[in-house]
Amino acid sequence: MHPALVVAVLSTVLASVKAQGVTCNATSACPASAPCCSEFGYCGNDNFCLGGCNPLHSYSLTSCRSAPLCEDATHTFADNSRILSNSTYYDGNSSAYDWVVDKGSIFNTNSSGGELALVLTEDNGGTRLSSTKYLHYGTITASLKTGRWSGVVTAFITMSDIKDEIDWEFPGTATTEAQTNYFWQAVVPLDTHGTTVKDLSDTYSNYHDYTIDWQPEALTFSIDGNVVRTIQQSDTVQDGVTQYPSTPSRIQLSLWPAGINSSAPGTVQWAGGMIDWSDPDYTSAGHFYALVKSVQIKCGDPQTPGENITSYVYGTNSSTDTPSITFTNASTLINGAAGVYGVAVKVNGFLTAGLLVAALLAQFL
């Protein structure tokens, strides 16, 4: 995901950020008074402790609320009843909503069984939709139609709380192409991991099924059931560290403005140039858009969660090089109950230690 989209979403939380006023990063964790490090690197409470909260930069590994457990699902959009249109009202209850709008706006076409439209206007800075449940390995297929305008990027990605990321992206006017990429903990490699798939039928006019098949041993990208790229986990080792996405992630769908004055020149070029807000498509409709018909999710947890498991947390031996994931029965709600046990889950060959007791420190949440 490019910095321009991060900046756009960040603008929606600036008021809260100013109130908290404390930043967090790999060398400066959050204080107990504002224990949760948000996805934008600011410390706070309440919503700061939900999706995107980075446990490695928070006051403790258990300051963030636990991440709601994956569930197999096929999401269609006959209406928007399962989408919370304002993420600031989200309290961590993933049973109430499947998706939250982090930034921007959506509408439903109510045609062909219903399609979800992601909207970009000159004023809204783009739209990003995030799943309320997480995925710790598995297969996701999004059926979508992209934008077709210079500087406008359509994206379907997974993003973890420590910024492991897997991408399908569709920049600008390149409507016969699709791009794949992946990142480990937001590290941008000297040699890009990105590739381009060419010779597709028009991605604006036609629905295609874009698949991310993310497994512990390999990451596979497919279009309409045809494999176009595979990355082996064993090929991602750098200086003894496996730089492969391995942590629970949310699914995100977005339409965002890369071709704007605040974007880096390279980003603008990648996206096909500056956005033309006088484009006839924009002036007639009042917006640019991308359409989503469905999202299918098949969970692939390395171990089967127990009957009472609700969520994922980072294990007590987690570090940047060796993040470990544990199952827990802790509440995912703001001010919810702490968990009393966990189940070890292997991540990149590492096994977490056994029990999670009252270390979920509810007093800090």
Side-chain angles (χ1 to χ4, degrees):
M1 184 170 62
H2 284 260
L5 180 57
V6 174
V7 171
V9 181
L10 177 59
S11 66
T12 66
V13 297
L14 283 179
S16 297
V17 165
K18 290 177 181 177
Q20 300 294 339
V22 179
T23 60
C24 45
N25 51 50
T27 60
S28 179
C30 291
S33 59
C36 296
C37 183
S38 78
E39 64 178 310
F40 305 109
Y42 291 91
C43 300
N45 297 282
D46 298 330
N47 290 83
F48 283 63
C49 304
L50 296 175
C53 178
N54 187 328
L56 301 184
H57 301 167
S58 294
Y59 179 72
S60 74
L61 286 174
T62 54
S63 294
C64 303
R65 298 312 295 166
S66 56
L69 190 70
C70 184
E71 291 183 5
D72 293 348
T74 297
H75 299 293
T76 55
F77 303 97
D79 58 52
N80 293 340
S81 60
R82 298 292 299 174
I83 303 173
L84 182 60
S85 60
N86 187 334
S87 64
T88 61
Y89 296 122
Y90 182 59
D91 66 356
N93 184 0
S94 64
S95 296
Y97 297 99
D98 298 319
W99 306 88
V100 295
V101 178
D102 301 312
K103 166 72 180 174
S105 56
I106 60 173
F107 67 86
N108 192 282
T109 65
N110 293 314
S111 66
S112 304
E115 301 159 307
L116 175 67
L118 309 177
V119 173
L120 168 64
T121 69
E122 193 169 3
D123 297 324
N124 80 351
T127 294
R128 190 184 79 178
L129 194 73
S130 294
S131 63
T132 58
K133 293 181 176 65
Y134 283 63
L135 182 87
H136 190 211
Y137 301 113
T139 306
I140 320 105
T141 298
S143 181
L144 56 87
K145 291 181 179 179
T146 72
R148 63 175 179 182
W149 305 279
S150 296
V152 177
V153 179
T154 309
F156 154 47
I157 75 171
T158 66
M159 177 70 78
S160 86
D161 293 343
I162 63 172
K163 293 184 171 53
D164 284 341
E165 179 178 350
I166 303 169
D167 298 347
W168 275 112
E169 290 188 295
F170 311 87
T173 60
T175 56
T176 60
E177 299 179 359
Q179 296 186 7
T180 70
N181 212 338
Y182 74 95
F183 298 90
W184 173 77
Q185 298 186 29
V187 173
V188 178
L190 292 177
D191 296 322
T192 179
H193 295 320
T195 63
T196 299
V197 183
K198 297 181 180 293
D199 300 323
L200 303 178
S201 63
D202 191 296
T203 61
Y204 170 81
S205 300
N206 302 294
Y207 275 108
H208 291 284
D209 292 339
Y210 302 96
T211 298
I212 295 170
D213 183 10
W214 174 39
Q215 305 300 332
E217 297 82 17
L219 170 62
T220 301
F221 296 88
S222 301
I223 300 177
D224 298 331
N226 300 308
V227 172
V228 296
R229 185 186 186 192
T230 299
I231 298 103
Q232 300 295 330
Q233 185 248 33
S234 58
D235 292 334
T236 67
V237 179
Q238 299 288 331
D239 299 323
V241 177
T242 302
Q243 298 188 358
Y244 181 81
S246 65
T247 49
S249 301
R250 294 179 294 165
I251 302 163
Q252 296 182 331
L253 302 161
S254 62
L255 185 71
W256 58 280
I260 54 178
N261 290 330
S262 59
S263 294
T267 298
V268 175
Q269 181 180 14
W270 167 77
M274 297 293 287
I275 296 175
D276 179 7
W277 300 108
S278 64
D279 185 290
D281 287 347
Y282 186 83
T283 57
S284 62
H287 57 255
F288 295 123
Y289 65 93
L291 296 177
V292 185
K293 183 165 61 175
S294 65
V295 179
Q296 300 177 30
I297 301 167
K298 177 66 176 177
C299 307
D301 293 288
Q303 279 78 41
T304 302
E307 181 178 353
N308 297 318
I309 295 302
T310 62
S311 48
Y312 309 101
V313 292
Y314 283 69
T316 54
N317 63 334
S318 285
S319 67
T320 297
D321 288 351
T322 60
S324 60
I325 304 303
T326 298
F327 290 130
T328 180
N329 68 345
S331 171
T332 64
L333 302 177
I334 296 173
N335 298 320
V340 294
Y341 66 88
V343 178
V345 179
K346 286 184 179 179
V347 178
N348 283 352
F350 297 94
L351 188 64
T352 66
L355 297 179
L356 284 180
V357 288
L360 291 176
L361 300 176
Q363 66 267 31
F364 292 135
L365 300 177

